[in-house]
Amino acid sequence: MSMRITGGSERGRRLRRTRGKGLRPTSERVRLAIFSMIGKEAVEGARVLDLYAGTGALGIEALSRGASWADFVEAHAGRCQNIRETLRDMGLTGLGHVYRARAERTLDALPGGYGLVLIDPPYDQDP
């Protein structure tokens, strides 16, 4: 599945392909709807937390739309590496950090101060 960033400075750029059992990336259409609903004021300059990051699409979308920082939390090592590579490819490396951890076990260890928290857990898991 090919996925693109839907808005902001990286609009139209493709995310790295990621496959795997249990991976259900947030579609372009859903991301566009989410960011249209919350509005640019909620994103611009915000510190963002992307829990259950998967491909990192939600956090990268936020960075593209003007967020100042994004923390990505993902338990799968390969997906974490994929997010890091996507950030590098898009020149966003200095604007985010990827934590390899289970979301429900790492919340207390995160720096906090988030203006926007994006949570898209797998279907078979409660947030």
Side-chain angles (χ1 to χ4, degrees), residues 31-39 43 58 61-62 65 116 118:
R31 283 184 281 118
L32 184 60
I34 289 169
F35 284 94
S36 292
M37 284 188 282
I38 64 175
V43 179
L58 287 170
E61 186 81 48
R65 293 170 179 264
L116 180 61
L118 302 162

Side-chain angles (χ1 to χ4, degrees), residues 75-120:
H76 188 276
R79 293 178 192 153
C80 288
Q81 184 60 34
N82 191 61
I83 296 167
R84 288 184 191 100
E85 290 171 2
T86 301
L87 290 169
R88 185 194 67 223
D89 292 349
M90 293 188 180
L92 302 172
T93 303
L95 298 176
H97 184 78
V98 180
Y99 294 88
R100 180 176 177 229
R102 292 181 53 97
E104 60 276 8
R105 293 185 182 157
T106 194
L107 291 175
D108 291 336
L110 294 170
Y114 300 106
L116 180 61
V117 177
L118 302 162
I119 305 171
D120 191 9

Side-chain angles (χ1 to χ4, degrees), residues 16-48:
R16 284 180 167 264
R17 286 187 149 221
T18 303
R19 293 187 181 148
K21 185 179 179 194
L23 182 65
R24 177 195 44 88
T26 308
S27 73
E28 290 177 34
R29 180 181 242 168
V30 171
R31 283 184 281 118
L32 184 60
I34 289 169
F35 284 94
S36 292
M37 284 188 282
I38 64 175
K40 66 180 183 179
E41 297 81 17
V43 179
E44 290 178 349
R47 286 180 45 83
V48 175

Side-chain angles (χ1 to χ4, degrees), residues 44-55:
E44 290 178 349
R47 286 180 45 83
V48 175
L49 176 59
D50 185 352
L51 290 174
Y52 306 95
T55 63

